[in-house]
Structures are given as structure tokens and as C-alpha cells.
Amino acid sequence: MFTIRCPYCGERDQSEFSNGGEAHVARPKDPEQISDREWSEYVFIRANPKGIYYERWVHTHGCKKWFNAVRNTSTDEILKVYKIGENPPPLKEFKNTIKTPSGEPDVGSGNFSVKKP
Amino acid sequence: MKKKYSIYSLVKNSLSDNQNWKKMWRNPEPRKFYDVIIVGGGGHGLGTAYYLAKEHGLKNIAVIEKGWLGGGNTGRNTTIIRSNYLWDESAHLYEHSLKLWENLSAELNYNIMFSQRGVLNLAHNEHDVKEIRRRVSANKLNGIDSEWVDPNQIKKLVPIMNTENCRYPVLGASYQPRAGVARHDAVAWGYAMRADELGVDIIQNCEVKKIRTAKGKVQGVETSKGFIRSNRVGVVASGHTSVLAATAGIKLPLQSKALQALVSEPIKPVINTVVMSNAVHAYVSQSDKGELVIGAGTDGYNSYTQRGGYNIIEDTIRAIVELYPIFGKMKMLRQWGGIVDITPDASPILSKCEVEGLYFNCGWGTGGFKATPGSANVFAHTIAKNKAHKINAPFSVDRFVSGRLVDEHGAAAVAH
């Protein structure tokens, strides 16, 4: 459970929002030309990283507007919120917030192998 | 079997104050090379290693687990076991599993406390009634014990249920008497102990960081205890499968989300079956300790945090209290989350992939525990023969290219 800063309404509880999955997924320009495998990738395969994730949210119980966010899926920390149509912020802007190779946070995790004894 | 549990061993060890029980499995250092490496020491992974050793005669096997055995979704689920799925493909897979469950305590000589107390799947509207009646018929055609029960019969089975004076009255249910629950930790421990006896190395607190491949073949795994070579790697890592697959350059149609469960304070027996409801999203059973075991829906965003939002628990508790007003003043003791890997069709992936020697057992989403023995059994076959068993052939990852999906959103019973 966390709060999200809606670019139109300000900070609200996450339960007011609905998640729209990965952001910036482009529909293939020439769907009739591409192979079944490429079509399958567009329809079924979405990024599922542990760490930096570009995603869409909609303020369902608020202004009902869509927007994009950058979130660290290993901590649920929202690193940036930006409007639809704006360019995604580059990945390197957030790299230093990820401490371990697997993106595992050092607290609140069952992963002992990355913790110091 | 070396460690035999019986009434005699219980008495003998109680006389020495239970100080002389043997360790259930070794804690070996990893070797340089294994014939097969299983990544993930949950029920499915340990079971796979057990069946590889027992049914396929492989000796040099390792199970690598980043935390402790059964500490992931094996120890976080609500322990429900059933096989009343709609499509033939799923019915065969889950029924194969249920048949193995029925004999598992005896096979492992370890009490997994499998209790066939039945499951009710409730219908709250006309559409539910039609859909569930259809599923009952499909189950019967597949030889699965499933029957339609009306509200009077439900009242007999679960007298405390409020079937009439609620926002969504109960119009009937499907009932599978052979369904039930089992002790999930014991499943992991039982498989681990017997796999260990068959020579499987179980390596805990060792994280696989990368699956190393070269020229389209798997070379081994890089771990926090160094590189371990192997020609065959089976990944059984539930919510973290996407992360591992990405290290081998493979994209899978999986989304990882938190799924929450909670238990109440223990009370005397009030509910002696498992009751699930898709429409209002409430499912509950009572553990042998007397706690109510309640499962919530998934949180609606990708996450690896093993937590989840309070609003999701509130939704499910609201429905539980409406269905069982008697629970209104009970207190909840513990809540937790597990990271589940959800596929677009709510069916698992048990498959080879484009990298030779790399196998995936994933995508169980919100309901993998019930499949543990069956999944492990056919996955072991897939790894040993490099070819899918006829039961898991329809669950190849290629179905997302061919379009031959096994859509089980209805039978999966958990909102996602």
C-alpha cells in the first residue's frame, strides 16, 4: 500500500488508482506483415522487471485521467510521475537507486544471500 | 527408506525427550557439475528433483534455493487442493495431481496431513449458476467427482453460511468431495527428505544470479556460491521466473503480482469444508489448529515486495463477514503476501524453450499449490526425456504463438 502523486490532483491513496500495465508499448505499424511470433510478443509479452518499471495508472476514483509512472517493483517506491505524451525519463536517471544486482532491497526481503551476515 | 516414521519411532524418541531425531536432509556444499539443476526449492522444485531421482534414475541432481525450503509461495498459499477445472487439458493435469496427493503421505512416509474435506464453489447470480453447472458437467465427462448442490444442501454442509439475507444471495454451488487441504510446509519437507535420501543435493541460501548460455545451449548457473556447470536447468522460481529468464535472454508471458492471505485467531471447528466464491471474492477454510485461513485477490500492479495493500484485504473480509455474520467480531492474527507469476490465460507453463537444456515450470499464478505433485511429476518427465509428457504438452510456451490457449480464468477462482 502506498500513495501516488497524480499529476492532476496531487498525492492520493493507491486504492483510488487502477494500474494499466507496462507503459510505452507501441502497436506494430504493419500488423499484416509481421510473423505470428512477433504478434504474440505484442499481444502477450510485457516487461516484468524486478526494479525500474515504466507503467500506466488511471485515477479511477478521482479525475479519471491516465498518466505514466516509474516505479521500483522491488520496493514499490514511485520514482517519477509524468503525463501521457511526455517522453519517458531515461533509465540511467534511476540506476543509482538500485543497490543490489538483482534489484533486491536490503531490508524487508527474504533474500539472505545479498545481506551482510 | 532410511528415516522411517511410525508410532514406534514416536514413542522411542519421546522417551529421550525428542532430542535424538535425525536431521531430515544434509546441507551440502555445491559440486562443480550436476546432470540437472533445479532452481527453486519450493514444493514444485523439490518434487521435480524427487521424481527425477526416483522415476527417471538420475543421480547427480541439485536443487538451489535462495532462501530456505518452502519459504516462498509453498509456505504462503492457502493450501487448497481440488481438480474441478473446466478444460480437458487442465482437468487432466490437476486430476493427475489430485491422484498423487491421495497417496502422497504413504509414498513419502511423511504425514502431509492431506484432508479430503471437499470444496464448494458458490454461485451468486444466474450467470454463475450457468457457468458452474457447465463446469460440473465438464468435470463429470473427465471423470472428476463434481456435483451441483442447491442452497438447502449447502446449508447442511455449512450451517453458518448466510445464503439468503445478503447482497448476493447464494443460489447453489459445485461440490467436489475429494478436494481438500494439506499442510504445505510438510509437502516441501517430505519431498526434500526423500529427494535427499536419493542423493539429491539441496543447497539453501544460495541465490542463482544468472543462467549462463552459449550457442543456444545452457552451460550452468552463476550463483552466490560460484558457477555451477550443468547441461540441464529447470527453473521453478514462481514470481521470480521472469527475472531468471531475462538473464538467459528469454521473454515469458508472465506478470508478477502480490497475492495476500491471512489467518484468524483459532476457534473451535465451525466450517469443515473449503468454501470459495468467485463473484464476491471470499474463500475460507479452517485449519487443524482452528484458524480461519482466508485468501484475498491479487493486488492490481506488478510487484516483488511480498506485501500488498490493505484495501484488498478489506474487500475480501467484507465479503467473508457478509457470507458468515458469525465471524464479524473475530480478530485476524497474521497477514502476508507471496509473489505469483500470472500468465495471460491463467494456466501454467511447463515447457522447453528455445535454449537447449533450459526448462520452465512457471505461470501457476494464484493456484499452484494444488498442482504440486502432478506438476513435479510431469516436469521431471519433461527434463529427463527432453520431451513433454502427454499431460503437460498443451502447456507449452508455444501456445501463446499458436493461439491455442487454455483459458481458466473462471476456474482459477482468484481475481486477477
Side-chain angles (χ1 to χ4, degrees):
Chain A
M1 198 170 200
F2 46 87
T3 58
I4 299 174
R5 188 171 291 282
C6 169
Y8 305 95
C9 311
E11 192 171 2
R12 298 292 166 87
D13 196 285
Q14 175 259 315
S15 61
E16 289 188 16
F17 299 83
S18 310
N19 187 278
E22 189 185 0
H24 309 295
V25 179
R27 187 181 167 86
K29 285 210 174 70
D30 44 357
E32 68 281 3
Q33 301 296 324
I34 63 173
S35 67
D36 285 356
R37 189 162 288 279
E38 287 166 312
W39 185 246
S40 155
E41 285 213 5
Y42 167 65
V43 175
F44 293 120
I45 297 195
R46 292 290 177 272
N48 188 26
K50 181 171 190 170
I52 305 298
Y53 182 50
Y54 293 75
E55 63 183 351
R56 304 181 301 167
W57 288 90
V58 56
H59 196 178
T60 319
H61 304 291
C63 64
K64 298 193 165 53
K65 288 198 178 85
W66 285 88
F67 57 92
N68 293 327
V70 183
R71 184 167 51 93
N72 180 350
T73 59
S74 64
T75 59
D76 282 348
E77 191 180 358
I78 296 195
L79 304 165
K80 189 150 193 167
V81 172
Y82 56 104
K83 292 180 181 171
I84 296 282
E86 288 176 14
N87 285 331
L91 197 58
K92 63 176 190 304
E93 206 176 295
F94 311 105
K95 274 289 186 198
N96 58 358
T97 59
I98 302 292
K99 289 172 189 144
T100 56
S102 62
E104 191 93 21
D106 40 11
V107 284
S109 154
N111 187 354
F112 294 125
S113 61
V114 298
K115 285 183 192 171
K116 293 199 174 78
Chain B
M1 284 185 187
K2 289 179 223 155
K3 292 180 225 46
K4 187 99 176 133
Y5 294 116
S6 63
I7 187 78
Y8 169 73
S9 71
L10 275 177
V11 171
K12 190 178 124 195
N13 281 284
S14 70
L15 292 175
S16 57
D17 233 8
N18 290 314
Q19 297 299 305
N20 296 321
W21 289 103
K22 295 268 185 304
K23 282 258 188 327
M24 285 172 69
W25 53 82
R26 298 165 293 132
N27 201 9
E29 281 303 306
R31 288 178 218 157
K32 293 267 179 287
F33 173 81
Y34 287 98
D35 290 336
V36 181
I37 291 177
I38 303 294
V39 183
H44 291 249
L46 293 163
T48 304
Y50 169 76
Y51 290 115
L52 275 170
K54 179 163 174 276
E55 294 188 354
H56 303 283
L58 286 156
K59 294 284 169 250
N60 191 19
I61 305 169
V63 177
I64 303 180
E65 164 58 43
K66 75 171 177 177
W68 63 92
L69 295 189
N73 294 347
T74 298
R76 290 166 189 268
N77 56 67
T78 50
T79 76
I80 299 166
I81 294 161
R82 60 191 174 89
S83 66
N84 54 353
Y85 277 70
L86 175 65
W87 300 109
D88 294 353
E89 294 87 348
S90 333
H92 294 157
L93 177 61
Y94 292 105
E95 182 61 17
H96 177 56
S97 193
L98 183 50
K99 289 202 174 112
L100 290 170
W101 277 118
E102 286 174 328
N103 198 32
L104 198 59
S105 286
E107 170 161 358
L108 300 175
N109 177 238
Y110 192 69
N111 189 2
I112 57 157
M113 295 164 76
F114 181 46
S115 158
Q116 291 180 294
R117 55 183 71 180
V119 64
L120 286 166
N121 288 77
L122 305 183
H124 297 270
N125 54 48
E126 281 304 314
H127 177 79
D128 277 0
V129 171
K130 285 180 184 157
E131 199 270 335
I132 290 177
R133 277 182 175 270
R134 178 193 178 200
R135 183 133 49 91
V136 166
S137 304
N139 291 158
K140 283 183 175 159
L141 289 172
N142 277 317
I144 293 167
D145 59 323
S146 186
E147 57 190 283
W148 173 257
V149 289
D150 63 28
N152 290 329
Q153 292 165 287
I154 295 174
K155 268 291 201 192
K156 282 205 184 97
L157 286 162
V158 188
I160 60 168
M161 194 191 296
N162 174 19
T163 54
E164 281 166 11
N165 305 315
C166 48
R167 175 70 181 81
Y168 298 102
V170 177
L171 305 178
S174 71
Y175 182 54
Q176 186 184 14
R178 280 164 65 241
V181 292
R183 181 166 181 225
H184 49 203
D185 305 306
V187 177
W189 298 338
Y191 272 130
M193 174 174 60
R194 299 309 172 199
D196 179 82
E197 279 177 5
L198 294 166
V200 173
D201 276 3
I202 298 166
I203 300 154
Q204 299 182 75
N205 293 315
C206 176
E207 183 185 22
V208 171
K209 298 190 163 167
K210 185 174 165 32
I211 298 166
R212 198 189 284 180
T213 61
K215 294 179 190 150
K217 286 186 185 170
V218 78
Q219 306 291 306
V221 292
E222 288 169 22
T223 74
S224 50
K225 292 187 177 176
F227 178 69
I228 306 173
R229 210 154 52 78
S230 181
N231 303 325
R232 280 181 283 184
V233 174
V235 179
V236 200
S238 70
H240 282 71
T241 306
S242 298
V243 177
L244 285 166
T247 67
I250 291 170
K251 293 183 207 161
L252 293 168
L254 298 173
Q255 297 282 284
S256 297
K257 297 183 179 186
L259 179 66
Q260 298 179 79
L262 56 163
V263 296
S264 73
E265 57 191 332
I267 53 172
K268 287 188 176 176
V270 284
I271 182 163
N272 64 355
T273 184
V274 181
V275 188
M276 316 184 72
S277 166
N278 269 12
V280 300
H281 208 289
Y283 64 95
V284 64
S285 62
Q286 192 172 14
S287 74
D288 293 333
K289 277 190 283 183
E291 303 155 326
L292 298 178
V293 183
I294 295 169
T298 52
D299 282 69
Y301 50 86
N302 288 19
S303 180
Y304 288 85
T305 57
Q306 294 189 330
R307 295 196 288 265
Y310 180 72
N311 53 321
I312 303 291
I313 297 176
E314 199 178 2
D315 283 348
T316 206
I317 291 294
R318 201 182 289 148
I320 295 268
V321 172
E322 180 94 344
L323 267 180
Y324 312 95
I326 189 178
F327 295 156
K329 295 202 170 162
M330 283 184 69
K331 293 176 178 66
M332 290 296 149
L333 281 191
R334 299 190 301 280
Q335 166 276 341
W336 62 91
I339 302 305
V340 297
D341 46 335
I342 297 172
T343 56
D345 60 356
S347 283
I349 295 168
L350 284 145
S351 179
K352 302 201 283 182
C353 70
E354 65 256 36
V355 175
E356 199 182 316
L358 184 57
Y359 307 85
F360 286 97
N361 181 350
C362 59
W364 290 98
T366 58
F369 176 68
K370 66 176 82 68
T372 305
S375 142
N377 187 263
V378 296
F379 193 53
H381 182 279
T382 307
I383 294 175
K385 312 266 190 235
N386 192 30
K387 188 171 175 290
H389 189 281
K390 69 176 190 300
I391 289 175
N392 68 320
F395 297 96
S396 153
V397 71
D398 290 336
R399 73 178 186 271
F400 297 99
V401 176
S402 70
R404 204 182 189 298
L405 304 184
V406 187
D407 184 4
E408 288 290 2
H409 282 101
V414 171
H416 53 271

